[in-house]
Amino acid sequence: MATSVLLACGLNEQKLPGFVHISEESNVDGSFLISCILGQRLRISNAGTLLVCLQHHYQHYFNAGMRLGYNTNIFRGKTLGVIDVLSDMAVEGLASKWLRNSEGQTLTEQLVEDIRAQVESNYASRNSYTVLIDNLSILFNLGASKLQVQQFCQDLAALAKERDNLTVITKLSNSDIYQLTDNNVAKLGQVRIQVLRLKSGVFREVDGKLLIERVLDEGNYACEETRKEVLYKVNDRNVKVFTPGEIGVKV
Amino acid sequence: MLSNLLVTKQKVVLVIDELNRERIALKFIGSLLHEQGQGAETIKTLPTGISLKHVATFEALIAECANQNNNNNTPAGETGDLDAGTPGSGSGKPTGFNVILPTLADLLCYQSPAFIFSFLNRLRRSEHVRRVFLWASPQHLQHPHAEYILAGCEYLAELVLRLETDKLLSLISRKPGGGVSNRRFACQVSKTQFQVTPLDEGLPTGVSPKQPTPEAEQTPEPASSTFKIELDEDEMVARNALTLPYERTSEPTEGNIIYTPDADDDFDEEDPDEDLCI
């Protein structure tokens, strides 16, 4: 269902890099990548996953998972943990801890605390652990400043460095105004996946382009990097990838 | 090598990186120092991440530099401190530390610009600090006044290295006497080496004593001069061969009298002054 896109991104392996960042350009939606990665992590036995829902609530990921061929409900409470910020706000309203600003803590500080608590309680019993955060730009809508988001990501990167088999995967819609924040988050990790729109316009057989940049080795004066471009099409129940030039307008 | 240009007597070094190499900033500067024989024991860094939020972290760095430098130089600590003002003039012992700061983007993430400037200034004035390195990548600075902050850092720095492209860099150097030079270099970068070649022909390099480039061996010539001062080989031969009018054709020897006797001369060796009638 989603193997090809994960293969193209190099995220199909059991052991993932410590920090992976997905940059989403304006006018494209990279949420399918989160669902694809989530499905892949859940299929690995004894691999823990923490899903931080910011853009969509948990039900969205459940529905997407069903279409891609996995059931998140089976794993929830076992290998899958969920921090559903949006649902909490919807249920509890202004009494929600995310809006109360308790003990002078900011939203991002509370979030880091919750993520740390989840990792502490689950990491030891799992072979590997993945924290998926979708989507950082929602934090701006919830009142966080750019600096707070940057600090939040620094904390997450530090968390990933503290533990061997812990991976943090973030996504940020830069909306053409958060480019600098995007760069600052991307530099924390070894893999950056940019979801880009087609420069030539809209095409019914292709939704957009993935630009995958991976740092292979950090030298003293330069990094050894690979860059790969693939086109993608999100279908109802799968995601297809093409190499550039593979498909075109047939006359 | 780039390290010959950057690891000098100048104290505050700012690297402006247009190439998005921020992730290897610490490694980059550490390698430059290592190339110039500055051991790990002379290098001090600040921790990254949330600890930068606390002023105590910055104070601890300054205190650590002072304490360790005093310990290293005991009992001749005072001498070492005095030498710190002129790095390299000491007796071979480290006379101060090389401080590598976190990147400017990381510093701005946790501290105000005023605090950063103040801290940079304190390091600059500290006699226990030999050099301070700061890395700034404009594409990572998200402060609303990032341009002014960067300009402020440039003002404080004595050496400003700007990595413009993969093959080009510029270096602004402010000397203690007030002289400023702006030089451009072509560079060749690999994972383990950073080679530079001056682009401005004839400019004094004088900074790469270990590996002088062919350009460095040429006679220095001010770039702005309208006179042709230096001579090529043919001109040199012609100049040496030319005898100027005031020069003597032969060197003077000791005084002597040249006398050719006439046929009638009756020269008496016993009385050479006979003809003088005295």
Side-chain angles (χ1 to χ4, degrees):
Chain A
M1 299 289 181
T3 316
S4 56
V5 71
L6 291 175
L7 200 65
C9 297
L11 299 177
N12 58 324
E13 293 155 19
Q14 288 213 6
K15 184 170 168 47
L16 297 179
F19 196 97
V20 178
H21 180 61
I22 301 167
S23 304
E24 202 177 67
E25 203 183 33
S26 173
N27 258 349
V28 287
D29 186 2
S31 295
F32 69 93
L33 277 173
I34 296 290
S35 294
C36 293
I37 295 166
L38 180 62
Q40 193 261 354
R41 299 318 291 172
L42 292 177
R43 284 193 183 98
I44 299 170
S45 65
N46 203 29
T49 308
L50 173 65
L51 178 65
V52 182
C53 309
L54 288 167
Q55 184 170 9
H56 306 288
H57 50 69
Y58 170 73
Q59 193 61 34
H60 165 86
Y61 297 98
F62 168 75
N63 293 336
M66 292 304 282
R67 284 178 179 272
L68 288 171
Y70 62 89
N71 185 346
T72 52
N73 280 345
I74 295 173
F75 302 99
R76 190 168 184 185
K78 295 167 192 165
T79 58
L80 174 65
V82 177
I83 298 178
D84 198 348
V85 177
L86 293 186
S87 294
D88 287 351
M89 285 181 186
V91 172
E92 297 172 31
L94 290 174
S96 161
K97 68 173 181 177
W98 308 111
L99 298 174
R100 256 187 298 142
N101 202 9
S102 60
E103 297 165 12
Q105 275 188 318
T106 60
L107 170 70
T108 50
E109 283 169 350
Q110 284 184 58
L111 210 46
V112 167
E113 213 168 74
D114 273 31
I115 291 170
R116 274 194 178 270
Q118 288 265 6
V119 171
E120 293 294 338
S121 60
N122 294 312
Y123 176 78
S125 58
R126 303 290 171 210
N127 292 336
S128 63
Y129 203 81
T130 309
V131 180
L132 276 164
I133 301 169
D134 182 28
N135 157 344
L136 292 172
S137 58
I138 303 302
L139 294 171
F140 297 123
N141 302 338
L142 295 175
S145 68
K146 288 177 183 175
L147 282 184
Q148 283 172 354
V149 173
Q150 196 180 328
Q151 288 173 9
F152 174 65
C153 293
Q154 294 258 16
D155 288 344
L156 292 176
L159 186 68
K161 274 182 192 163
E162 285 166 20
R163 291 166 173 79
D164 269 346
N165 288 322
L166 180 73
T167 301
V168 175
I169 300 175
T170 55
K171 195 186 88 175
L172 174 74
S173 306
N174 66 40
S175 309
D176 298 335
I177 51 172
Y178 301 125
Q179 192 59 53
L180 291 172
T181 310
D182 203 12
N183 291 341
N184 277 312
V185 179
K187 82 172 180 194
L188 299 171
Q190 295 79 31
V191 181
R192 180 184 198 177
I193 302 167
Q194 294 187 62
V195 188
L196 308 167
R197 57 176 178 257
L198 291 176
K199 281 181 186 166
S200 51
V202 183
F203 183 38
R204 66 174 179 177
E205 289 180 50
V206 175
D207 286 338
K209 187 166 71 175
L210 296 177
L211 174 60
I212 302 125
E213 294 167 313
R214 181 183 278 257
V215 178
L216 299 175
D217 186 23
E218 290 181 0
N220 293 339
Y221 297 115
C223 293
E224 189 183 341
E225 287 178 311
T226 58
R227 283 164 66 92
K228 187 161 59 168
E229 271 186 28
V230 290
L231 305 172
Y232 70 89
K233 170 72 181 170
V234 182
N235 294 315
D236 204 23
R237 291 182 180 274
N238 61 20
V239 182
K240 282 186 176 177
V241 292
F242 315 95
T243 51
E246 189 181 331
I247 55 169
V249 178
K250 295 179 183 69
V251 183
Chain B
M1 286 190 293
L2 181 65
S3 58
N4 294 327
L5 299 170
L6 277 198
V7 184
T8 59
K9 288 184 178 181
Q10 269 96 335
K11 202 164 180 181
V12 182
V13 182
L14 172 68
V15 182
I16 300 176
D17 160 41
E18 311 270 5
L19 301 172
N20 203 9
R21 288 197 183 124
E22 189 159 309
R23 68 170 72 236
I24 55 165
L26 189 61
K27 226 177 188 181
F28 190 105
I29 296 167
S31 305
L32 292 176
L33 289 169
H34 182 69
E35 276 178 14
Q36 292 299 313
Q38 303 288 311
E41 70 280 357
T42 68
I43 300 173
K44 292 276 171 205
T45 54
L46 277 169
T48 53
I50 195 152
S51 51
L52 291 177
K53 207 170 192 172
H54 311 295
V55 175
T57 310
F58 295 87
E59 296 294 338
L61 178 82
I62 289 180
E64 201 180 326
C65 286
N67 292 339
Q68 288 194 14
N69 204 35
N70 285 337
N71 291 342
N72 286 345
N73 292 326
T74 346
E78 289 173 19
T79 313
D81 290 349
L82 287 172
D83 285 350
T86 54
S89 63
S91 57
K93 279 186 178 181
T95 53
F97 289 97
N98 297 295
V99 176
I100 307 177
L101 294 174
T103 62
L104 187 58
D106 287 351
L107 285 172
L108 283 170
C109 182
Y110 294 100
Q111 292 294 344
S112 68
F115 178 84
I116 295 168
F117 288 139
S118 147
F119 182 66
L120 202 54
N121 206 27
R122 278 179 71 188
L123 287 177
R124 194 172 66 152
R125 287 160 172 264
S126 170
E127 57 191 7
H128 308 294
V129 175
R130 201 185 321 179
R131 293 181 200 92
V132 186
F133 292 89
L134 177 63
W135 187 285
S137 298
Q139 63 266 56
H140 286 106
L141 299 176
Q142 59 175 340
H143 195 279
H145 305 301
E147 279 183 30
Y148 295 103
I149 294 166
L150 195 55
C153 292
E154 282 190 60
Y155 176 75
L156 284 174
E158 288 156 9
L159 264 182
V160 181
L161 171 73
R162 190 180 286 273
L163 301 170
E164 294 176 5
T165 65
D166 276 335
K167 294 182 177 173
L168 201 65
L169 63 89
S170 67
L171 185 73
I172 298 173
S173 168
R174 292 192 189 93
K175 302 209 169 77
V180 179
S181 68
N182 186 1
R183 288 171 290 165
R184 303 191 88 198
F185 296 84
C187 52
Q188 227 179 353
V189 189
S190 69
K191 269 165 47 178
T192 53
Q193 279 196 325
F194 202 119
Q195 299 286 353
V196 292
T197 317
L199 277 180
D200 301 332
E201 212 177 304
L203 268 180
T205 53
V207 281
S208 51
K210 289 183 182 172
Q211 289 190 346
T213 56
E215 286 83 356
E217 289 168 5
Q218 289 178 0
T219 311
E221 178 198 357
S224 58
S225 172
T226 54
F227 297 98
K228 184 172 179 294
I229 294 170
E230 86 283 8
L231 299 174
D232 61 24
E233 200 176 336
D234 293 340
E235 288 168 333
M236 185 72 82
V237 171
R239 191 185 74 167
N240 291 341
L242 180 69
T243 306
L244 297 174
Y246 58 83
E247 287 179 328
R248 291 174 184 271
T249 52
S250 62
E251 288 187 2
T253 57
E254 60 182 81
N256 53 5
I257 299 167
I258 299 167
Y259 177 70
T260 308
D262 293 338
D264 300 336
D265 278 354
D266 181 18
F267 187 74
D268 185 358
E269 285 184 358
E270 288 179 3
D271 187 8
D273 300 328
E274 184 190 7
D275 55 331
L276 297 178
C277 303
I278 50 175

